[in-house]
Amino acid sequence: QVQLQESGPGLVKPSQTLSLTCTVSGGSLTTRYHAWSWIRQPPGKGLEWMGVISYDGNTYYSPFLKSRTAISRDTSKNQFSLELSSVSPEDTAVYYCATRPTFYTGSYAYDYWGQGTQVTVSS
């Protein structure tokens, strides 16, 4: 059973960079073909896929967020991370990490999800 746990600050000031980490247990970031994604849900809105890092370390981002998003990983810690720069109140959302055994760039069809972490952008 794969378990994912998001961590990071719950409050970020406008124009700063949001940084979150997803710690994985019961599975490995390098398991072949697995994809590890970040998804968010703003209040009152649907899920929004942000980006993915593949089992071999390749990254792909939503075209709407690509200029502000970076996903990286630390295989020694079995963690992958999200950085979202130049945040505004519109980036306030619950942020989730999730995984599935094949490459995917959608918001819903994942086998395992973290519990989600609330991030509020406010001065």
Side-chain angles (χ1 to χ4, degrees):
Q1 177 91 4
V2 178
Q3 293 184 320
L4 301 96
Q5 178 67 59
E6 304 90 348
S7 60
L11 181 64
V12 182
K13 295 185 186 305
S15 80
Q16 292 187 342
T17 296
L18 179 162
S19 298
L20 297 174
T21 295
C22 182
T23 300
V24 179
S25 58
S28 171
L29 294 178
T30 59
T31 300
R32 202 163 186 178
Y33 306 129
H34 277 60
W36 307 86
S37 289
W38 286 98
I39 301 110
R40 68 180 182 179
Q41 186 169 27
K45 297 184 179 181
L47 295 171
E48 177 185 21
W49 177 76
M50 301 182 69
V52 61
I53 186 164
S54 64
Y55 72 99
D56 54 359
N58 290 313
T59 53
Y60 304 87
Y61 302 109
S62 164
F64 304 105
L65 298 169
K66 184 176 183 178
S67 64
R68 300 196 290 129
T69 308
I71 297 175
S72 60
R73 67 179 185 175
D74 185 336
T75 56
S76 68
K77 297 180 179 179
N78 219 27
Q79 295 176 331
F80 66 107
S81 298
L82 170 73
E83 289 195 340
L84 182 67
S85 62
S86 303
V87 298
S88 71
E90 286 68 38
D91 293 309
T92 294
V94 178
Y95 286 75
Y96 299 92
C97 55
T99 187
R100 55 177 283 147
T102 55
F103 185 76
Y104 175 66
T105 60
S107 300
Y108 293 91
Y110 292 91
D111 291 10
Y112 299 100
W113 292 77
Q115 65 182 24
T117 186
Q118 173 70 46
V119 178
T120 300
V121 180
S122 175
S123 56

